[in-house]
C-alpha cells in the first residue's frame, strides 16, 4: 500500500502516525487532506537509520553523533535537505512495526500524528479508528504507545542547535551536545508547527500550577467544586493520589506515566466532562514536554494555585 501511494496508520513509540511514501508527492498531499493540516506545516520523515537519513538530508557531524546516540528513538533532526527542500525533519523510530514497514516498503515514510489537525495525538489504534475511520484504508495495531508524546525536534540547520519542540529526549539529555532550549535562542524562527493550536480536546482545559503557599494538588478539589457550582462538569487529570470520588479522574503514578496516558485521558474524559482540570507536572525531564502540550491544549495560560480563578472558560467546539 505504501508503494501504491496509499496511507497507512502506524504505531510508533511516541504516538500513532499517518504514513505515506515520503518520495511520493501525491501520497503526501493526501496526508494533509485527511488531517486537514495547514499546508505550511511540514511533515517528519521516518527512516531506518542514519544511512537512509543521509540520502535525504545533510546530518553533519553533530547530526551523526545525535543519531548514533538517540536513534532509533524519539528524536527528530531538522537538517539541510538534499532533494530540493531547504530543510527536512528526519527521525528513525524505535517501534518494531514502524521499522518493519520502512524496511519492507523500502521507502522513507512521511508521517505526522494520525489525528485531525489541532486534536490530541492518538496513542492507540482505536483512537485512530475513532477519529479518522474510513479515511485511512489501513491501521496497523501495535498496542498503546510507550512514550505517548511526540518526538523532541532539534533544529541543526541554523547557526545554533536548538530544541524546537520538547519531548522524551529532554533538554538535560541534549545539553552536553550543545543543543539549546528554544527560549534561549529567541532570534531563531520557531518550528512552523508551533504556530497552530494543538492537542486540544473537545472541551476547555484548565491547568493549575503550584502557587506561593498552596500547591495545585491542594486546590484541585476546591476548583472542581467551584466549577461544579457554576454548572460545569469537571474531570481531573493529575500526578499523585486519587481525588474526591465525585469527579471523573485519571491519576498517574509519575510524570512518565502521565506522558504516556495524557492524550488518552483527554479523549476519554471529553466524552462526559465540560472542562478538564489538570495539575501541571514539574518541569524536569519529560515534564517539560508535558507542560508544553498542556500549555497548547489550554490555549496558552496556566493558573496558579492560591490565586482566585476566573471561570471565564474558552468555549470548546
Ligand atoms: P507532527 O505533526 O507531530 O508530525 O509534527 C512535526 C513537527 O516537526 C512540527 O512541529 C513541524 O513544524 C516540525 N517540522 C517538520 N519539518 C520541519 C522543518 N523542515 N523545519 C522545522 N520544523 C519542522
Ligand atoms: Mg501532530
Amino acid at each position: 500500500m505504501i508503494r501504491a501511494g496509499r496511507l497507512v496508520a502506524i504505531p510508533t513509540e511516541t504516538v500513532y502516525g499517518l504514513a505515506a511514501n515520503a518520495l511520493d508527492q501525491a501520497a503526501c498531499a493526501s496526508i494533509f487532506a485527511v488531517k486537514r493540516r495547514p499546508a505550511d506545516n511540514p511533515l517528519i520523515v521516518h527512516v531506518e537509520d542514519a544511512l537512509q537519513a543521509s540520502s535525504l538530508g545533510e546530518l553533519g557531524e553533530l547530526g551523526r553523533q545525535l543519531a548514533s546516540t538517540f536513534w532509533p528513538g524519539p528524536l527528530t533532526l531538522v537538517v539541510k535537505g538534499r532533494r530540493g527542500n531547504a530543510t527536512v525533519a528526519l527521525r528513525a523510530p524505535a517501534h518494531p512495526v514502524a521499522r518493519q514497514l520502512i524496511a519492507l516498503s523500502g521507502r522513507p515514510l512521511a508521517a505526522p500524528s494520525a489525528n485531525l489537525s489541532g486534536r490530541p495525538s492518538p496513542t492507540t489504534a482505536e483512537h485512530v479508528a475513532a477519529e479518522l475511520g474510513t479515511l485511512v484504508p489501513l491501521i496497523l495495531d501495535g498496542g498503546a504507545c510507550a512514550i505517548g508524546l511526540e518526538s523532541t525536534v532539534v533544529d541543526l540547520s541554523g547557526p545554533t542547535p536548538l530544541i524546537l519542540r520538547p519531548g522524551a529526549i529532554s533538554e538535560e539529555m541534549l545539553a552536553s551536545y550543545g543543543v539549546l532550549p528554544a527560549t534561549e535562542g529567541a532570534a531563531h524562527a520557531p518550528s512552523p508547527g508551533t504556530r497552530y493550536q494543538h492537542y486540544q480536546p473537545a472541551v476547555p482545559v484548565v491547568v493549575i500550577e503550584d502557587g506561593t503557599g498552596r500547591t495545585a494538588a491542594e486546590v484541585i478539589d476546591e476548583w472542581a467544586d467551584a466549577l461544579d457550582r457554576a454548572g460545569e462538569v469537571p474531570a481531573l487529570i493529575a500526578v499523585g493520589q486519587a481525588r474526591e470520588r465525585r469527579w471523573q479522574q485519571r491519576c498517574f503514578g509519575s510524570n512518565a506515566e502521565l506522558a504516556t496516558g495524557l492524550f488518552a485521558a483527554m479523549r476519554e474524559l471529553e466524552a462526559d466532562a465540560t472542562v478538564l482540570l489538570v495539575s501541571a507536572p514539574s518541569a524536569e525531564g519529560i515534564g517539560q514536554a508535558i507542560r508544553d502540550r498542556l500549555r497548547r491544549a489550554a490555549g496558552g495560560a496556566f493558573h496558579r494555585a492560591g490565586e482566585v480563578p476566573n471561570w471565564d472558560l474558552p468555549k470548546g467546539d
Side-chain angles (χ1 to χ4, degrees), residues 35 113 115 121 198:
K35 282 190 53 116
S113 51
N115 51 276
S121 297
H198 250 111

Short mmCIF file of all heavy atoms in Angstrom, two decimals, residues 35 113 115 121 198, ligand 2:
data_model
loop_
_atom_site.label_atom_id
_atom_site.label_comp_id
_atom_site.label_asym_id
_atom_site.label_seq_id
_atom_site.Cartn_x
_atom_site.Cartn_y
_atom_site.Cartn_z
N LYS A 35 -5.90 14.92 7.30
CA LYS A 35 -5.75 15.56 8.62
C LYS A 35 -6.33 16.97 8.67
O LYS A 35 -6.45 17.56 9.73
CB LYS A 35 -4.25 15.67 8.97
CG LYS A 35 -3.62 14.40 9.45
CD LYS A 35 -2.22 14.70 10.01
CE LYS A 35 -2.22 15.78 11.06
NZ LYS A 35 -1.82 15.38 12.39
N SER A 113 1.33 12.96 13.26
CA SER A 113 0.43 12.21 14.13
C SER A 113 -0.90 11.97 13.42
O SER A 113 -1.36 12.81 12.63
CB SER A 113 0.22 12.98 15.43
OG SER A 113 -0.16 14.31 15.15
N ASN A 115 -4.07 12.19 13.74
CA ASN A 115 -5.28 12.83 14.27
C ASN A 115 -5.69 13.96 13.33
O ASN A 115 -4.89 14.39 12.51
CB ASN A 115 -5.00 13.41 15.66
CG ASN A 115 -3.76 14.29 15.66
OD1 ASN A 115 -2.64 13.81 15.78
ND2 ASN A 115 -3.96 15.60 15.46
N SER A 121 -2.96 13.92 20.05
CA SER A 121 -2.44 12.83 19.23
C SER A 121 -3.00 11.49 19.69
O SER A 121 -3.27 11.29 20.86
CB SER A 121 -0.91 12.79 19.32
OG SER A 121 -0.37 13.99 18.82
N HIS A 198 -3.07 23.27 19.09
CA HIS A 198 -2.63 21.89 19.09
C HIS A 198 -3.16 21.16 20.30
O HIS A 198 -3.40 21.77 21.32
CB HIS A 198 -1.10 21.88 19.19
CG HIS A 198 -0.43 21.44 17.94
ND1 HIS A 198 0.30 22.27 17.15
CD2 HIS A 198 -0.38 20.22 17.33
CE1 HIS A 198 0.79 21.59 16.12
NE2 HIS A 198 0.38 20.35 16.21
MG1 LIG B 2 0.69 16.26 15.37
#
